[in-house]
Amino acid sequence: MDAVEQSEDQQTSAITGGIGALSLSSTDDPLTSQFGTLNDLCYELSSLQDLASRGSWRSILDKVARARKLSLLSKPHEHLTYLSYNVLALTKLRRFAEAAAELDSLDDGLDSSSYLYESYPHHYPNGSGSMVPFVLRWLHAELPSKLGKRQETLDRFYGLLDLVRTKLNDKLSKGASVSAGLWRKRQVFVINSIISHHLSHKEFSVCLDLMKDLISLRGDTEDQNPVLLSKLGYIQMQYGDLEGAKATFDKIEGLVKEKADDVEMKNLVSRNKALVYLVAKDYVSAVREYEECMERDASDVVAINNKALCLMYLRELSGSISVLESALERVPTVALNETLVVNLCSMYELAYVNHSDIKRTLSNWIARVAPDDFDTSCTRI
């Protein structure tokens, strides 16, 4: 069974959760943009964005297919924007080969002159630079790993990181603070993506170096980021450096004391304490910390899931099941994730002889309320 940890980019919503930083448009600076709304930027872009936020990925595929069939996209950047949503939707639906084929349909790669604004002066008389949405570059790096080509993904991500840093330095040298802020977010997102790939293969020393680099970036030196420090602590724990992790968590607690009214930060501190207790198999103390989190925020799914696991380890199986079932009833949009459902189904298998019927009922409910990309195989029916 799996405990859940809180990371900055929340890779479960890895692709969509980072849309703000990734950006499906290529407009760098909203303060200098000529577009007042999303629909000014691209045909029915607000509709695509709404469908993505609701997890309606099949509807996005239908919308893109219709727009292409009826020739509703008149400008080059609109075709790239719709292609980005199409690749994103296929990836979320785990149709990775189709997503890769869609990317391969681009002429001469992402850096082709075909995708420069200045190549189309009649459409963009004052435009310059690449019109490739950043999310497309991120997907281009991520997709090979889904097809068993891990090294290709790492090579592409490190190349993407070089591009992002070049762009960031350029924006900073020009005093373009808004654009620089956007590229700084992209830098953090890409580094987090690289860390996730190294972490999945237990390459802890590389992860630690990357995390320390991330924490030391401009913007985190004067005001240390508790979320980033927590991720460093998680990596230290997996690396076996328990004392180092405790020191990191203590530093976070000191930072958060200055933010007395910030519930999210208080819960972060409590979850860190609980994780230390959990590793030490002090499940009673861990449950106490998770309960404090839930009292402050009843939708804290990390605390909910991990409290249930601790209760199970304490042989309170009915209580652990009740915690997860209650969460799914109260906050389904937050609690409905594959890790929590896998844990709940494992508990059903331990607790009930007729667990197949109970899991089938759960699966039917999930089919009614879950987003398109939810992996229903996690119920193990």
Side-chain angles (χ1 to χ4, degrees):
M1 295 194 192
D2 299 321
V4 178
E5 292 175 355
Q6 189 86 346
S7 63
E8 183 179 40
D9 54 339
Q10 292 289 301
Q11 287 286 103
T12 106
S13 47
I15 300 169
T16 49
I19 280 180
L22 292 174
S23 181
L24 281 158
S25 74
S26 48
T27 303
D28 276 345
D29 192 338
L31 297 183
T32 60
S33 173
Q34 61 180 305
F35 305 109
T37 67
L38 286 175
N39 290 340
D40 291 337
L41 175 60
C42 180
Y43 174 76
E44 292 191 358
L45 183 55
S46 62
S47 174
L48 285 172
Q49 194 82 336
D50 179 61
L51 290 171
S53 67
R54 291 190 280 115
S56 300
W57 303 108
R58 294 186 184 89
S59 296
I60 286 178
L61 295 181
D62 292 341
K63 190 173 183 65
V64 171
R66 178 178 177 275
R68 289 172 170 176
K69 181 178 180 181
L70 299 179
S71 301
L72 299 175
L73 310 176
S74 59
K75 296 183 178 180
H77 81 275
E78 291 183 324
H79 287 280
L80 279 174
T81 300
Y82 269 63
L83 184 141
S84 298
Y85 273 99
N86 214 46
V87 175
L88 181 57
L90 290 168
T91 301
K92 293 294 286 184
L93 294 170
R94 294 174 289 281
R95 293 160 59 176
F96 303 122
E98 292 175 68
E102 181 87 351
L103 267 175
D104 290 342
S105 70
L106 294 174
D107 296 331
D108 304 322
L110 299 178
D111 296 317
S112 167
S113 60
S114 300
Y115 308 124
L116 297 176
Y117 285 113
E118 50 264 45
S119 297
Y120 308 91
H122 54 295
H123 283 307
Y124 317 104
N126 300 313
S128 64
S130 174
M131 65 177 70
V132 175
F134 190 78
V135 70
L136 206 54
R137 296 186 184 277
W138 188 90
L139 288 165
H140 177 258
E142 178 68 19
L143 272 171
S145 68
K146 306 298 185 182
L147 299 170
K149 303 174 183 178
R150 174 178 180 260
Q151 190 56 51
E152 187 173 343
T153 276
L154 285 174
D155 291 344
R156 289 183 180 184
F157 266 129
Y158 279 107
L160 181 57
L161 183 59
D162 287 341
L163 181 147
V164 169
R165 286 174 167 167
T166 299
K167 289 285 188 181
L168 175 58
N169 290 333
D170 179 60
K171 299 301 180 184
L172 289 171
S173 69
K174 294 178 179 177
S177 59
V178 176
S179 294
L182 178 60
W183 283 100
R184 189 175 286 114
K185 289 179 182 178
R186 290 171 173 174
Q187 178 179 223
V188 170
F189 194 93
V190 171
I191 293 175
N192 270 307
S193 299
I194 294 172
I195 289 171
S196 294
H197 282 283
H198 285 299
L199 197 56
S200 68
H201 282 73
K202 302 185 185 302
E203 296 165 349
F204 299 122
S205 60
V206 180
C207 294
L208 285 172
D209 290 342
L210 286 167
M211 276 305 307
K212 290 173 182 176
D213 184 36
L214 192 56
I215 290 168
S216 67
L217 289 174
R218 181 182 174 183
D220 288 319
T221 51
E222 298 177 1
D223 183 17
Q224 290 286 307
N225 187 322
V227 176
L228 286 181
L229 286 173
S230 287
K231 189 166 185 177
L232 173 61
Y234 303 152
I235 294 171
Q236 288 171 315
M237 293 191 86
Q238 293 185 65
Y239 194 46
D241 182 10
L242 187 57
E243 292 305 313
K246 287 180 179 178
T248 299
F249 292 154
D250 288 343
K251 183 176 183 180
I252 295 165
E253 188 171 5
L255 292 170
V256 171
K257 282 181 179 177
E258 302 172 6
K259 305 176 181 180
D261 298 327
D262 193 327
V263 170
E264 185 179 351
M265 290 296 103
K266 282 184 176 181
N267 278 17
L268 181 65
V269 169
S270 291
R271 288 196 303 268
N272 290 343
K273 288 181 178 179
L275 195 58
V276 174
Y277 287 134
L278 197 147
V279 170
K281 298 185 179 180
D282 183 356
Y283 302 123
V284 173
S285 297
V287 166
R288 184 177 63 247
E289 294 293 341
Y290 288 132
E291 285 177 342
E292 288 183 11
C293 291
M294 292 164 65
E295 287 174 6
R296 287 188 288 259
D297 178 8
S299 64
D300 187 333
V301 70
V302 179
I304 291 167
N305 181 81
N306 291 359
K307 177 191 173 182
L309 288 182
C310 290
L311 289 174
M312 186 194 68
Y313 296 145
L314 290 168
R315 300 182 181 180
E316 297 181 28
L317 199 52
S318 61
S320 63
I321 289 172
S322 177
V323 168
L324 297 186
E325 288 181 336
S326 175
L328 288 172
E329 290 174 4
R330 289 184 296 103
V331 284
T333 55
V334 178
L336 189 57
N337 67 67
E338 286 88 344
T339 299
L340 189 147
V341 171
V342 164
N343 288 340
L344 179 57
C345 288
S346 297
M347 293 170 189
Y348 284 153
E349 291 166 3
L350 291 172
Y352 303 119
V353 174
N354 63 332
H355 57 78
S356 294
D357 293 338
I358 297 171
K359 290 194 297 181
R360 191 168 292 108
T361 300
L362 175 63
S363 183
N364 291 338
W365 175 79
I366 289 172
R368 293 196 305 272
V369 301
D372 291 347
D373 56 310
F374 189 88
D375 186 0
T376 55
S377 68
C378 66
T379 58
R380 298 202 298 270
I381 294 178

